[in-house]
Amino acid sequence: MNDTVSIGSSPRRIRQNNIVAALQTIYAHRSLSRADLARKLGMNRSSSGEIVAELTEGGFVQESDESGKQRLEHSRAGRPGIMLELVPDAAFFVGIEIGVEHISAAVVDLSADVRACRKIAFDTPSSTVEEAVAQGVELIVSAMAKGMIGRCKGLGISAPAHIRPDGIVTLAPIIGWRDVSLKEIGRSAFPAAVPIAVENDANAFAIGDSYRHGAAGVTLFLLMETGVGGGIMIDGKLFRGGHGLAGEIGHTLVPGSGGQKFEQLIGREVLIGQYREAVGRKHADLQEFLGGVRDRVPAAVNIAESWSRHLAYALLQACRLLDPDRIVLGGSVASLYPMVAARVAVHMSEGQNIPFPTPEIVVDDDAEFGSAFGAACMLHQRFLSLESEEFGSEDGAPVQSATS
């Protein structure tokens, strides 16, 4: 993660590069000795020490004794070593996901650990974009401790939409948005002037899961809520395709379905609707349906079997096109997969004459908040990069204090 600069770079650029490289390195390793940091940065101890001193004075890095096993291992050799680590409370990053029938939000700190998360039911199609964004902001701000807003360094917003690089939603049919400046609406709604990024919900989900686990090779991400969105990561980089629509598997037409799209066969609302009709309870919800599958209620099991078959078909098509190493499922509907994984595997096996390699299929660690977490991670990633405005001050100016 060490970004090198040319000899002809300005002192300001070199300084910014070194600060960012130090933060990236400490973040990647969680904690490092001063000697190890200098070695990984390719700097002498004196130059590295100046960077560390600046970050320590700014409140972004702190020293701590080696702990636990490390302290025990060093007990016979002398005093424990002093390690460098990030100060978690030095910066916070907010992520908001605006879904069709819900809004979820999360806050991560400088160590990228989740500090707060909230979710509420919300009818987005019947609300204005401004109302949806304001609700998301209110939801997470009310969950943040006093002082966190002042140290907030970025806001990420995700939605089931095609979003241009400038933050304009060009089309979001499932929630009724078109030609909307989501970035500017977020800027007006948030109570602090911070960098803002907006992203498709499935892409944000892909970014968040990759932030936790890394993303070597090819990974397909499916975010399953009312609709089904997809994201693709190739060797840690988001693949957007020629028009920013790569991975949108939910819009694939399914043969023999009467012209239905994939998301119309496995989305949240179709499952709930089918279950309500089968059991005669008009207020049955997803959790009740999942409970029915766990308890082997025949009506629920039959619906789950049909879902398994449709999911297997879609995954087979994706596997032939992408040959992914790994498939990650997220969203509220992903909770069904572990209960029917064996059936999905059977259907995938039956759907191909040649035994192609089968990718690992897993459910995200925190599937329901994956997109909100990813939206926050986008800003965390930006903060620890040369795009960050935090460390781009004039030559010689100290790093701004995290508590100022």
Side-chain angles (χ1 to χ4, degrees):
M1 299 180 74
N2 181 8
D3 296 319
T4 58
V5 292
S6 67
I7 295 175
S9 297
S10 69
R12 175 181 178 181
R13 185 66 170 176
I14 293 173
R15 169 185 168 277
Q16 182 185 13
N17 179 83
N18 290 336
I19 289 173
V20 167
L23 286 172
Q24 289 177 343
T25 303
I26 296 171
Y27 167 71
H29 293 83
R30 287 290 173 171
S31 65
L32 281 173
S33 69
R34 287 175 176 268
D36 285 339
L37 177 62
R39 184 163 53 251
K40 291 182 181 298
L41 293 178
M43 302 171 65
N44 59 47
R45 290 284 295 272
S46 175
S47 297
S48 175
E50 291 178 5
I51 297 298
V52 170
E54 192 167 350
L55 288 171
T56 301
E57 183 179 350
F60 295 101
V61 170
Q62 63 187 1
E63 293 183 335
S64 65
D65 289 344
E66 290 179 318
S67 59
K69 179 180 178 180
Q70 290 176 313
R71 181 179 292 116
L72 181 62
E73 290 174 349
H74 285 77
S75 61
R76 296 179 181 179
R79 60 183 298 180
I82 301 299
M83 307 295 284
L84 299 171
E85 61 185 20
L86 298 181
V87 178
D89 286 356
F92 297 96
F93 308 88
V94 172
I96 297 172
E97 177 202 4
I98 300 175
V100 180
E101 294 191 330
H102 74 278
I103 293 176
S104 62
V107 179
V108 302
D109 59 25
L110 188 55
S111 297
D113 293 325
V114 176
R115 299 293 291 271
C117 55
R118 296 287 187 275
K119 183 176 182 177
I120 59 169
F122 188 82
D123 187 1
T124 300
S126 66
S127 307
T128 66
V129 182
E130 289 80 4
E131 288 171 341
V133 173
Q135 183 63 65
V137 169
E138 179 182 349
L139 176 68
I140 197 59
V141 167
S142 65
M144 297 172 73
K146 184 179 180 180
M148 292 174 73
I149 291 293
R151 295 193 296 278
C152 184
K153 303 298 182 180
L155 166 66
I157 304 175
S158 70
H162 180 211
I163 302 172
R164 293 192 330 218
D166 60 0
I168 302 293
V169 173
T170 58
L171 185 63
I174 200 168
I175 53 178
W177 296 358
R178 190 182 186 94
D179 298 327
V180 172
S181 182
L182 185 56
K183 188 172 184 178
E184 291 307 314
I185 293 172
R187 194 184 310 280
S188 298
F190 201 68
V194 298
I196 296 177
V198 297
E199 183 59 270
N200 170 268
D201 56 353
N203 285 344
F205 167 55
I207 291 169
D209 184 88
S210 300
Y211 224 64
R212 282 193 177 110
H213 304 295
V218 180
T219 305
L220 170 66
F221 296 85
L222 292 186
L223 183 65
M224 300 184 290
E225 290 286 353
T226 299
V228 177
I232 302 168
M233 297 289 286
I234 301 178
D235 291 332
K237 294 183 178 180
L238 185 67
F239 177 70
R240 296 183 180 277
H243 305 89
L245 294 169
E248 289 294 346
I249 193 173
H251 292 273
T252 303
L253 293 176
V254 179
S257 67
Q260 289 183 293
K261 295 183 293 185
F262 173 50
E263 64 183 14
Q264 293 174 307
L265 296 173
I266 72 162
R268 176 189 178 100
E269 297 316 301
V270 70
L271 285 177
I272 295 174
Q274 290 174 347
Y275 185 67
R276 287 173 177 174
E277 182 178 355
V279 300
R281 290 195 292 276
K282 64 179 182 179
H283 297 300
D285 59 14
L286 180 64
Q287 293 308 312
E288 187 175 335
F289 164 69
L290 294 174
V293 177
R294 280 191 296 268
D295 296 339
R296 310 302 297 170
V297 175
V301 171
N302 289 338
I303 294 169
E305 169 64 15
S306 178
W307 185 89
S308 303
R309 187 173 62 255
H310 292 310
L311 177 64
Y313 171 80
L315 296 184
L316 273 178
Q317 311 316 307
C319 286
R320 296 293 68 78
L321 288 172
L322 299 174
D323 188 25
D325 302 288
R326 185 167 171 258
I327 297 174
V328 182
L329 307 178
S332 59
V333 180
S335 299
L336 175 58
Y337 177 75
M339 292 182 271
V340 297
R343 296 301 301 160
V344 172
V346 168
H347 290 308
M348 290 184 70
S349 177
E350 293 174 345
Q352 54 186 355
N353 295 324
I354 301 174
F356 287 100
T358 301
E360 176 189 21
I361 304 175
V362 300
V363 175
D364 183 66
D365 295 337
D366 195 2
E368 290 201 50
F369 287 93
S371 187
F373 173 73
C377 288
M378 291 190 304
L379 276 302
H380 182 277
Q381 187 176 53
R382 183 185 187 280
F383 187 80
L384 298 186
S385 76
L386 292 175
E387 294 180 44
S388 176
E389 299 172 1
E390 190 77 21
F391 312 111
S393 56
E394 294 300 324
D395 296 354
V399 171
Q400 183 178 349
S401 171
T403 57
S404 61

